[in-house]
Amino acid sequence: MYPHFQDAELENWHDFEVESRREIFALLRGIGEKNQLIRMLIQGESDVCVTSILDVDEAGNAVYLDCSIDQEQNKRILASRRLSFETTLDKVRILFAADQIEATTYEGNPAFKIPFPETLIRLQRREYYRIATPVTNPVRVQIALPAELGGPTTFPLADISCGGIAILDNKMILGDAIGKNFAECRIDLPEIGQVSTALQVRNSLDLTLLNNKTNRRLGCEFVNIPRGMLAYVQRYITKLERERNARIAGLS
């Protein structure tokens, strides 16, 4: 669906899809009001046009966009079967697409018109600073699985942020867990304390190692984490950062 944006952030783009018409309208209007520049990409070409939203007409089911100053590029855009758009709003990456585009005017000037998008992607993952957790003596999370899955099970962490954790499920115990919620998870943070929170699995990535073994990395988001517990997470991230900086200073 979003062919131009196949980067690491978009492996599980459907986890970040917004389908609420009201929310899409608010996001597009915000992009327009802040005069955010938008990259418009023509499918199948390396052609990029920088545009902006002139108006969002929810009742008319249309979004009005600025034209390119290059008339030849405008012709290629109008001949395109599919267009992809990428911008940011308050440091959050926004992506949407259109299968139709037509020439029109807006307040007397040439403009483009596309249908109001039915969905868009809002990628917020990068707003949280993530730091790798120790490999030799890994931090562990206990997830209270039902008895048929083995009961409470511990998993090593790969990294941690104020938004969540990445866990290693190399024995594939959790299966296809994307979207699942796990209540009452416990993370033991060395020298800090134990964090209790619910987790939701947001994405999954399988990596095949040189010995043909497969590692599964699950990105999990904190769900309604208490403020006191989040303070523990922040303190632990600060501790890891200090230790890493001390190692770098010692090596230099």
Side-chain angles (χ1 to χ4, degrees), residues 99-115:
D99 290 325
Q100 292 172 265
I101 187 162
E102 59 184 88
T104 184
T105 57
Y106 181 77
E107 294 184 348
N109 295 311
F112 289 135
K113 184 168 82 168
I114 61 168

Side-chain angles (χ1 to χ4, degrees), residues 64-186:
Y64 291 86
L65 302 166
D66 225 350
C67 285
S68 169
I69 53 170
D70 181 341
Q71 291 306 315
E72 289 303 313
Q73 188 175 48
N74 286 335
K75 287 178 186 175
R76 291 196 298 276
I77 290 165
L78 290 167
S80 172
R81 290 184 184 173
R82 185 165 181 80
L83 295 158
S84 302
F85 302 88
E86 178 178 9
T87 187
T88 56
L89 181 65
D90 301 325
K91 297 184 181 177
V92 176
R93 201 169 158 207
I94 307 284
L95 290 78
F96 56 100
D99 290 325
Q100 292 172 265
I101 187 162
E102 59 184 88
T104 184
T105 57
Y106 181 77
E107 294 184 348
N109 295 311
F112 289 135
K113 184 168 82 168
I114 61 168
F116 188 89
E118 291 182 6
T119 67
L120 57 72
I121 292 175
R122 182 179 53 200
L123 275 171
Q124 289 176 273
R125 240 193 295 183
R126 289 291 177 260
E127 68 185 358
Y128 290 117
Y129 171 69
R130 297 193 297 184
I131 189 164
T133 47
V135 177
T136 48
N137 188 20
V139 177
R140 297 184 180 274
V141 59
Q142 184 184 81
I143 297 179
L145 297 176
E148 63 268 21
L149 288 177
T153 306
T154 59
F155 300 87
L157 267 61
D159 65 39
I160 188 166
S161 78
C162 288
I165 56 175
I167 66 173
L168 298 172
D169 179 21
N170 297 339
K171 293 179 181 175
M172 315 294 179
I173 293 167
L174 298 175
D176 181 16
I178 292 175
K180 284 185 184 170
N181 284 304
F182 297 101
E184 298 176 17
C185 301
R186 292 186 175 87

Side-chain angles (χ1 to χ4, degrees), residues 139 187-196 229 232-233 235-236:
V139 177
I187 308 163
D188 284 309
L189 300 178
E191 299 175 40
I192 303 294
Q194 189 178 80
V195 169
S196 298
M229 297 285 109
Y232 276 15
V233 173
R235 278 167 58 193
Y236 183 66

Side-chain angles (χ1 to χ4, degrees), residues 6-54:
Q6 296 304 314
D7 56 34
E9 279 192 310
L10 279 176
E11 283 152 2
N12 300 92
W13 57 261
H14 43 81
D15 295 339
F16 304 91
E17 197 167 19
V18 176
E19 295 180 332
S20 159
R21 189 176 172 88
R22 185 180 295 174
E23 201 171 345
I24 292 169
F25 176 72
L27 288 167
L28 293 178
R29 173 164 274 187
I31 291 162
E33 285 174 350
K34 293 195 174 184
N35 296 315
Q36 289 293 109
L37 295 178
I38 299 169
R39 289 172 66 226
M40 175 163 54
L41 290 88
I42 302 172
Q43 184 170 348
E45 296 189 31
S46 56
D47 210 354
V48 180
C49 170
V50 176
T51 184
S52 59
I53 292 175
L54 300 172

